[in-house]
Amino acid sequence: MPASPTTRTTDLLVIGWGLAGLVAASEAVAAGKHVVIVDQEPRSNLGGQAWWSFGGLFFVDSPEQRRMGITDSLELARQDWFGNAGFDREEDAWPRRWAEAYLQFAHQEKRAWLREKGVGFFPIVGWAERGGYTATGPGNSVPRFHITWGTGPGIVAPFQAEVEAGEASGRLTILPRHRVTALTVSGGAVTGASGDVLAPSGAGRGYASSREVVGAFEIRAGATLVSSGGIGGNHALVRKNWPKRLGKAPKSMITGVPAYVDGSMLDVSADAGAHLINGDRMWHYVEGIGNWDPIWPDHGIRILPGPSSVWLDATGRRLPVPLFPGFDTLGTLAHLRTTGHDHSWFVLSQKIIEKEFTLSGSEQNPDLTGKDVKLLAQSRLGKGASGPVQAFMDKGADFVVRDTLDELIAGMKALPDGDALDAERVRYEVEARDREIDNDFTKDSQIAMLRSARAYRGDRLIRTAKPHRILDPANGPLIAVKLHILTRKSLGGIETDLSGRALAADGTVIPGLYAAGEASGFGGGGVHGYRALEGTFVGGCLFSGRTAGRAMAADV
């Protein structure tokens, strides 16, 4: 007969040890509560997806912005957020309130709170999701992307330290390899969780671990937090939730998160009465490349592109205005789904790649992650591409590097599905673009935007190459990059009130149940609406985790 489940009792139970879970647990321990954290993975994965992130954070009117000559305000940020989100559903009532609260947090307390914990920021502010529409449309009107000094590990570190200090003091217990399969409901309230104990695993961070069951557990708690992440590692679930407005779901995708980001806790939470909303809102990138040194299955990396590369669809046709690199992620995704192909192309020069290409992820940015100033100066300001980018140029299956356009097109066509490419169309698009460079005035909106971008000191220093003819051999060699759809974030999830309390379908609070992080759509069940402004995923985990942790501690 199977052994009886081990049973524990605690004040607060946290399911999932990603950033939101760590923040909530640290807040609860600081309030004097006893906490148990469970996660299905080995302890090597403490910190979850945030550890792998670039560590970008959205601030409003920060000292870094002001030093860079950027004029920002809460009013401008609100205009951008709501123009971007496009809230239009009854279910958006709580997400709207979360958006207002998060904007206040990003404008006022967020930076000082993190600075008190020892978190620092790279002085040059990035401009992500530039939009390119009107003032009330999608996109950031000004640069707001603040890179954490230390990237993802740097943002995880202070909260991990606080959690581990709580563990050392006996106030907190971490239980790896504990997979929750059910929330315990008694008298309409959630009173804990139960599930499987998985076999010990020595798998490294991000690598697949076994699902062998060796026991069972039950934990009784005064309050339970679901902070288990989204669905990006589960392609079947991504396709199931794929919205018609983005066209037909791709047959081929690569994966930007570890396989354990499987969405399993969403159904478990729904079974306990939690209301799941906005499941069709999601955030996937269109600049994905296959990792030449993969960790998880179908491991993809996102290019964080500067604005200069020529973006072509699979046939060689240039993407329409304003779908330039770094301008409108979901607008570009929706357009590319109309082409009948799952890939697209960047065409660029050596001068563009060495100035503009950054790869997302802590492991792809050893200078920033390792806080190495000397390496930072070499990689961001020196000649040539950075080490990680050069490694992809040398070893990545999606990169073609050639001296002439004919050779480049031949190399593109030689890649899988490259036969869709119309060589004459590629030549027509690139040559036409290059003719526009000869004058200070132009009808090419992308070139006009390049010149505008370089008026911002940050872009001129490290992000936007001086406009030049791509086909001029002096700027070569030529480079083409085959781009894939990269799964990443869920923008919907468990509906919550402003305290992080989970709500039932009728809008009532489910006693004892809370949600934070991606499992709650980063707050309320979808704080971003349809689109994200970037720098708001890690920040959403911080804010929703802090909010829920404080509320749970006050209620128990």
Side-chain angles (χ1 to χ4, degrees):
M1 295 181 63
S4 299
T6 59
T7 302
R8 296 173 181 266
T9 301
T10 186
D11 293 331
L12 307 177
L13 170 62
V14 174
I15 303 169
W17 58 27
L19 183 58
L22 293 183
V23 172
S26 68
E27 291 287 341
V29 169
K33 303 300 178 181
H34 286 84
V35 181
V36 172
I37 302 175
V38 299
D39 197 283
Q40 66 183 356
E41 295 306 308
R43 187 156 175 159
S44 56
N45 287 277
L46 196 69
Q49 295 179 65
W51 190 93
W52 295 100
S53 77
F54 196 44
L57 291 171
F58 176 98
F59 294 134
V60 179
D61 191 27
S62 69
E64 288 79 14
Q65 286 176 298
R66 293 193 292 273
R67 281 194 290 269
M68 295 301 296
I70 300 163
T71 300
D72 200 4
S73 67
L74 181 59
E75 294 74 22
L76 184 61
R78 181 183 291 112
Q79 173 179 298
D80 288 347
W81 191 291
F82 282 84
N84 205 58
F87 294 123
D88 61 0
R89 299 174 176 174
E90 284 186 24
E91 295 92 338
D92 286 332
W94 284 109
R96 282 176 176 272
R97 296 179 198 179
W98 271 90
E100 289 283 3
Y102 181 73
L103 285 165
Q104 292 286 346
F105 178 62
H107 181 233
Q108 297 173 350
E109 192 177 357
K110 180 181 176 184
R111 185 183 180 281
W113 176 62
L114 290 171
R115 291 294 295 132
E116 287 174 3
K117 294 181 179 295
V119 179
F121 309 103
F122 187 57
I124 298 177
V125 183
W127 196 354
E129 287 297 291
R130 301 177 187 227
Y133 301 91
T134 64
T136 57
N140 282 296
S141 297
V142 297
R144 296 192 178 103
F145 192 79
H146 298 66
I147 301 168
T148 301
W149 188 230
T151 67
I155 201 73
V156 167
F159 302 101
Q160 179 175 339
E162 290 173 5
V163 162
E164 290 176 342
E167 188 179 28
S169 73
R171 286 194 171 276
L172 185 143
T173 302
I174 298 176
L175 298 176
R177 307 297 284 156
H178 281 57
R179 178 177 62 189
V180 172
T181 59
L183 296 174
T184 307
V185 181
S186 178
V190 171
T191 58
S194 61
D196 300 324
V197 179
L198 304 179
S201 171
R205 185 184 292 274
Y207 285 94
S209 61
S210 80
R211 291 296 180 258
E212 179 188 356
V213 177
V214 297
F217 73 92
E218 180 182 355
I219 299 173
R220 299 174 185 143
T224 298
L225 175 71
V226 177
S227 52
S228 53
I231 67 173
N234 186 336
H235 285 197
L237 205 50
V238 168
R239 290 190 177 96
K240 179 182 177 181
N241 287 281
W242 192 270
K244 291 182 179 179
R245 67 181 176 277
L246 292 180
K248 189 176 181 180
K251 293 180 180 179
S252 174
M253 298 184 287
I254 56 178
T255 312
V257 294
Y260 61 70
V261 186
D262 58 11
S264 59
M265 273 305 300
L266 295 176
D267 283 343
V268 170
S269 301
D271 289 343
H275 190 208
L276 305 183
I277 62 174
N278 298 319
D280 65 329
R281 292 178 179 170
M282 50 186 69
W283 189 257
H284 306 306
Y285 292 109
V286 279
E287 312 99 334
I289 51 176
N291 193 347
W292 64 269
D293 187 19
I295 295 173
W296 52 79
D298 300 313
H299 188 172
I301 298 294
R302 184 204 175 196
I303 297 170
L304 299 173
S308 297
S309 298
V310 174
W311 204 334
L312 307 176
D313 68 19
T315 70
R317 187 175 296 273
R318 196 169 170 195
L319 271 57
V321 176
L323 305 183
F324 312 131
F327 276 65
D328 180 6
T329 294
L330 286 199
T332 306
L333 176 58
H335 171 77
L336 289 174
R337 297 313 304 140
T338 69
T339 67
H341 299 276
D342 293 342
H343 70 279
S344 61
W345 299 92
F346 279 164
V347 173
L348 60 151
S349 67
Q350 175 69 24
K351 283 192 176 179
I352 291 174
I353 204 168
E354 65 186 33
K355 185 85 168 184
E356 297 192 6
F357 266 38
T358 298
L359 302 175
S360 183
S362 56
E363 82 285 13
Q364 299 296 333
N365 294 276
D367 50 355
L368 292 163
T369 302
K371 303 180 181 180
D372 189 328
V373 175
K374 182 178 179 181
L375 181 59
L376 178 73
Q378 292 173 345
S379 62
R380 310 288 164 168
L381 300 176
K383 287 283 187 180
S386 68
V389 171
Q390 188 64 52
F392 271 87
M393 291 175 66
D394 295 339
K395 304 174 185 178
D398 295 313
F399 282 72
V400 181
V401 183
R402 299 289 190 273
D403 289 326
T404 69
L405 186 57
D406 285 340
E407 292 171 325
L408 187 77
I409 293 170
M412 295 164 73
K413 290 178 73 69
L415 293 186
D417 299 317
D419 55 358
L421 201 66
D422 180 336
E424 289 308 310
R425 185 74 198 192
V426 175
R427 178 176 296 282
Y428 172 74
E429 294 284 12
V430 178
E431 289 180 346
R433 178 265 182 207
D434 270 9
R435 291 189 192 101
E436 296 285 322
I437 292 293
D438 289 341
N439 297 289
D440 290 336
F441 37 89
T442 178
K443 71 176 182 181
D444 190 308
S445 296
Q446 184 176 9
I447 293 172
M449 288 297 294
L450 298 183
R451 290 169 176 160
S452 174
R454 284 178 60 84
Y456 167 49
R457 189 167 60 223
D459 268 357
R460 191 168 63 254
L461 283 172
I462 66 168
R463 203 70 182 112
T464 303
K466 184 178 180 180
H468 60 268
R469 283 179 173 258
I470 289 174
L471 296 178
D472 185 341
N475 301 316
L478 296 172
I479 300 162
V481 187
K482 184 181 179 184
L483 305 173
H484 307 266
I485 295 168
L486 178 76
T487 64
R488 187 61 68 85
K489 296 296 182 187
S490 311
L491 298 188
I494 299 168
E495 186 178 22
T496 68
D497 68 8
L498 279 180
S499 295
R501 297 182 298 177
L503 303 177
D506 63 1
T508 60
V509 169
I510 301 173
L513 183 60
Y514 294 75
E518 193 173 351
S520 69
F522 301 95
V527 68
H528 298 97
Y530 290 95
R531 282 177 162 95
L533 284 173
E534 291 287 19
T536 55
F537 298 129
V538 171
C541 289
L542 292 168
F543 184 53
S544 61
R546 189 180 86 148
T547 298
R550 292 180 177 183
M552 293 167 71
D555 287 348
V556 173

